[in-house]
Amino acid sequence: MYHSVGDCSDDPYLVTVTPDRLERQLEWLGRRGLTGVSMAALLAARGRGRGRGLVGLTFDDGYADFVEHALPRLRRRGFGATLFVLPGRLGGENAWDPLGPRKPLLTADGIRHAAAEGVEIGSHGLNHVDLTTADDLILKRETVESRAVLTELTGAPVDGFCYPYGTVDRRAVDAVRDAGYDYACAIDPGPLGGRLALPRVHIGQNDGAVRLFLKHRLHRLRRRPVEGL
């Protein structure tokens, strides 16, 4: 799980990695025979029993720096990724973060460019709202409307959802299922499981070779296995 790729000198939420750090992290994967892929590709491969050696790479929030810094590095290695974006904030900024610098978000053209380069586009909701505290109307808008907008914007199905802040409960899972998504990513979904509450590992600026090794080895011990995958 990545977020922004750029200057991390002012990064109170630890959501940014520098382009050089991302480069080294991708190199680390490659040296170990691991290939970064989109979540859709990973789930499809695992469903066929062929997921060995594949790592799902996700980038949350849809920061504009993805196209400038992350996409070229992914392309050079032949890696795929999933980009979870906020169609209610196209061309806006990370206004949900009260601290730290304002970071620009992708425009509609930026999202279409990423999609044209083979990046899977998923929904992060419309406006980065905690679904566990949203009322029924907002919950439906964040899940159903965001999918409809992105489908029209990209001209392709939108199968993946990512819970803002990583927070998820049964009500949010049910709303995502009702909206027609095939899978959804959380961080640590606790007692929830299945394709609509997939666990992920946060990757940050301080994750060098040793920390990456430990996170890779310990992920299955710290997170419950997902049934059927």
Side-chain angles (χ1 to χ4, degrees):
M1 177 182 65
Y2 287 96
H3 289 78
S4 174
V5 182
D7 177 12
C8 65
S9 58
D10 184 6
D11 186 31
Y13 299 103
L14 304 179
V15 297
T16 310
V17 298
T18 63
D20 285 346
R21 175 63 81 181
L22 175 63
E23 183 79 43
R24 293 196 294 273
Q25 290 167 345
L26 297 180
E27 286 176 356
W28 184 90
L29 291 175
R31 286 198 303 270
R32 280 149 187 82
L34 301 171
T35 301
V37 296
S38 70
M39 286 303 301
L42 175 64
L43 293 171
R46 295 193 71 171
R48 299 190 301 270
R50 298 180 179 178
R52 185 176 180 84
L54 301 182
V55 177
L57 300 180
T58 62
F59 291 79
D60 292 7
D61 301 334
Y63 291 104
D65 56 34
F66 175 84
V67 167
E68 180 180 0
H69 296 307
L71 186 56
R73 288 167 172 80
L74 293 168
R75 292 280 72 82
R76 281 200 295 271
R77 296 189 172 277
F79 282 8
T82 298
L83 178 64
F84 291 113
V85 301
L86 299 157
R89 295 184 182 271
L90 297 176
E93 59 184 21
N94 58 328
W96 60 89
D97 287 335
L99 304 176
R102 298 301 89 195
K103 288 176 173 284
L105 304 177
L106 287 166
T107 63
D109 284 344
I111 292 172
R112 280 190 286 261
H113 173 68
E117 290 291 317
V119 175
E120 181 194 12
I121 304 299
S123 172
H124 203 26
L126 277 175
N127 296 296
H128 207 283
V129 172
D130 182 347
L131 299 188
T132 65
T133 63
D135 63 35
D136 290 346
L137 179 60
I138 291 176
L139 183 58
K140 186 171 183 178
R141 290 185 63 233
E142 292 291 320
T143 54
V144 174
E145 189 174 328
S146 66
R147 186 171 188 236
V149 172
L150 287 175
T151 299
E152 182 176 357
L153 190 156
T154 62
V158 175
D159 294 326
F161 188 86
C162 176
Y163 300 99
Y165 305 104
T167 56
V168 58
D169 58 13
R170 175 54 60 187
R171 179 168 162 266
V173 168
D174 290 343
V176 167
R177 177 184 294 108
D178 292 345
Y181 294 95
D182 177 61
Y183 74 86
C185 292
I187 300 175
D188 187 349
L192 297 172
R195 291 176 73 97
L196 295 178
L198 296 169
R200 293 181 297 167
V201 177
H202 171 264
I203 303 298
Q205 178 65 13
N206 294 326
D207 289 322
V210 173
R211 287 171 61 99
L212 287 174
F213 174 79
L214 291 174
K215 286 187 174 185
H216 182 241
R217 293 296 296 270
L218 295 176
H219 176 63
R220 289 185 178 276
L221 298 178
R222 296 179 61 236
R223 304 298 203 275
R224 294 193 322 150
V226 178
E227 256 184 72
L229 297 177

